[in-house]
Amino acid sequence: MLNPYEDEQDLTDYRVSRRHALVFSALFLAALSLPPLADALGKTFRGKLAESPMVRLLAYRPGADSTLRDHIAGVERSLDQLGYAQSMRRWTQQAFTAWAAEGNRKVEIGRNGWLFYRPELQALNGWGPLKEEPFSVMKDPALAKLRPAREHVLEFAAALKERGIPLLLVPLPVKPMLYPEHLLGSTPDKPLRQPDQLAYYDQLRAAGIDVLDLTEPLYDLKKRHPIFLKQDTHWTPEAMKKSAVMVAEHIKKKYPDAVIRGDLPRIDARVHDRRSWGDLVKLLDLASPQWLFKEETAQLVAIHGLDPDRASPVSLLGHSFVNIYTDPTLGFEPPAPNGEDAPALMNAGFAYQLSLLLGRPLDVIAKNGAGTTATRREFAARPDDEVRAKKLVIWVIASRDLLNSPAA
């Protein structure tokens, strides 16, 4: 559109000569292409040219197993893992976190040094478990085909009921539900919940599922004990032990056959002090996290003599909330024994605490990041006679995995 006022200068019209445009374009292309080309040159000298993203990009042939779109996406992911890309990303994030208290797509930085997992915030503010999220062209179409968590839970409970096995579902509150003051600046008199959360749990109960919601008692408990680690998505050892007590008391009242009466097996309990940065600090992916954060400490009670037993009539399904303080890859790991690379299990997690309270080993299937799928499928894949021998299935799961829309 021509400027109708010929005597006035259009300040929004920026013009450069063809020569300058070519120079700027060349500099831009060089900034994009020189680092991966340098990487390809370095891999050539090491005899690993085939691993270069540039070679992988050109190696695509029509009719291959993956589409061109998938091929390009895979190359982009490999570019993100190159040394120069990781260094630039980490130092940029270091600056944003240090100077502006900014997180990233996975981590929200709250008040007083508290870190929060963004999918947990989305679980509170998103479409939730009962409303179907409308399709958006901004999201992967494959997400629209995923089934909501509610269907998985109901289907699993029905399969257990058919075999005469009760399901005890323990949805655990996530950090923003119990510590909203570090996001909002004020302390509410009750925990935050997704608007449809309680109605959702009522629907599950109406389907015959025993839902033990620990949100309210843990919110009350935070007046006496910290419930969550400041820099981690997981509960503190104190909150884990108190939760194990509440679950055990519920089982003793409602499922007495799941508890062994009489003397406990011979056990050995040892106290250990451990340190960890927390998984949220790791998710920030900083260049030097020790400049901004201090390690958190935890006193763990390791229990030996009640190791998981697949033949136990009580099965415990879960994910990282069950594995924290047992799986050393989740933090708080002990030093590797005898100079080995991998430290041993810590035996201080939820499964061991609950086993001690019930007086029996448990059949434990716990996989980090499993959501509502992996542990359930592994249990369902077992021989039918083995499954029918169970007297109770306990499913401990973070409420975010039950509340988030599959398209989130």
Side-chain angles (χ1 to χ4, degrees):
M1 179 177 179
L2 297 177
N3 187 348
Y5 307 101
E6 297 181 359
D7 58 337
E8 294 184 8
Q9 181 182 3
D10 188 349
L11 299 180
T12 63
D13 187 11
Y14 300 95
R15 293 180 179 146
V16 295
S17 66
R18 178 181 292 274
R19 178 184 176 185
H20 284 93
L22 291 174
V23 170
F24 289 143
S25 298
L27 290 175
F28 178 72
L29 291 174
L32 290 179
S33 59
L34 285 180
L37 285 174
D39 175 77
L41 184 61
K43 284 185 169 62
T44 300
F45 286 117
R46 296 195 301 271
K48 298 181 178 180
L49 181 60
E51 299 177 7
S52 168
M54 299 295 290
V55 172
R56 290 179 55 195
L57 178 64
L58 299 175
Y60 177 76
R61 294 291 182 272
D65 293 336
S66 63
T67 64
L68 178 60
R69 176 180 177 181
D70 293 336
H71 179 73
I72 293 176
V75 172
E76 289 178 343
R77 287 192 295 269
S78 64
L79 284 170
D80 288 341
Q81 300 306 314
L82 294 180
Y84 78 90
Q86 291 184 355
S87 179
M88 291 176 60
R89 182 170 63 249
R90 288 169 178 168
W91 281 111
T92 301
Q93 184 63 56
Q94 183 94 14
F96 279 129
T97 301
W99 300 336
E102 282 293 332
N104 55 22
R105 289 182 296 177
K106 295 182 178 180
V107 181
E108 173 77 16
I109 299 180
R111 301 167 181 262
N112 306 314
W114 282 72
L115 304 181
F116 294 86
Y117 189 40
R118 286 192 185 274
E120 294 178 349
L121 302 177
Q122 191 170 14
L124 292 175
N125 301 308
W127 286 87
L130 302 182
K131 298 183 179 69
E132 183 176 354
E133 183 174 355
F135 173 75
S136 171
V137 295
M138 300 299 292
K139 293 189 176 182
D140 186 347
L143 294 176
K145 301 177 183 178
L146 296 178
R147 300 168 62 198
R150 180 179 71 257
E151 294 184 10
H152 292 302
V153 175
L154 292 173
E155 183 181 82
F156 184 54
L160 291 176
K161 185 177 181 180
E162 182 182 345
R163 292 161 175 79
I165 307 169
L167 172 63
L168 171 58
L169 182 68
V170 186
L172 298 176
V174 290
K175 187 189 289 188
M177 292 181 179
L178 303 188
Y179 286 95
E181 61 269 24
H182 297 296
L183 289 166
L184 306 176
S186 59
T187 305
D189 57 0
K190 59 182 180 180
L192 293 186
R193 291 184 182 270
Q194 205 279 339
D196 294 330
Q197 186 174 353
L198 293 179
Y200 175 36
Y201 292 166
D202 286 341
Q203 282 191 11
L204 297 179
R205 291 187 181 102
I209 300 173
D210 186 9
V211 180
L212 180 60
D213 183 8
L214 301 182
T215 304
E216 296 288 347
L218 286 178
Y219 191 77
D220 294 337
L221 181 66
K222 84 172 191 175
K223 300 172 185 176
R224 303 187 299 276
H225 299 284
I227 306 302
F228 278 93
L229 298 159
K230 293 178 65 174
Q231 299 166 187
D232 202 288
T233 57
H234 299 102
W235 48 15
T236 62
E238 294 81 8
M240 176 192 66
K241 294 172 188 175
K242 294 293 184 181
S243 298
V245 169
M246 289 186 281
V247 173
E249 290 177 348
H250 183 84
I251 292 173
K252 290 175 182 178
K253 291 178 182 178
K254 197 162 183 179
Y255 310 100
D257 291 343
V259 184
I260 291 181
R261 306 297 179 182
D263 296 334
L264 281 172
R266 183 180 179 83
I267 63 170
D268 177 20
R270 301 177 185 179
V271 178
H272 303 281
D273 293 322
R274 297 286 182 252
R275 295 176 177 272
S276 176
W277 294 108
D279 59 358
L280 291 173
V281 173
K282 294 178 181 178
L283 287 175
L284 277 173
D285 198 20
L286 302 171
S288 297
Q290 67 274 15
W291 293 0
L292 304 179
F293 298 97
K294 295 180 179 180
E295 288 182 299
E296 293 188 271
T297 60
Q299 189 175 79
L300 309 180
V301 179
I303 299 170
H304 301 272
L306 284 171
D307 294 336
D309 182 1
R310 179 164 171 164
S312 172
V314 180
S315 292
L316 171 64
L317 277 57
H319 48 31
S320 59
F321 269 84
V322 171
N323 281 337
I324 187 73
Y325 311 126
T326 293
D327 182 352
T329 65
L330 294 175
F332 300 99
E333 67 270 12
N338 302 322
E340 297 175 8
D341 293 334
L345 297 179
M346 295 180 285
N347 292 21
F350 180 83
Y352 292 90
Q353 306 298 327
L354 186 59
S355 292
L356 181 64
L357 294 167
L358 297 179
R360 74 181 321 149
L362 301 176
D363 170 29
V364 181
I365 304 176
K367 295 183 176 297
N368 303 332
T372 60
T373 303
T375 53
R376 173 180 54 86
R377 284 181 176 173
E378 181 172 329
F379 182 82
R382 291 182 172 181
D384 190 62
D385 57 344
E386 182 180 331
V387 172
R388 290 182 183 275
K390 304 299 179 183
K391 296 182 180 296
L392 175 66
V393 173
I394 310 163
W395 195 358
V396 176
I397 186 169
S399 56
R400 66 170 178 263
D401 293 321
L402 296 175
L403 300 174
N404 256 331
S405 164

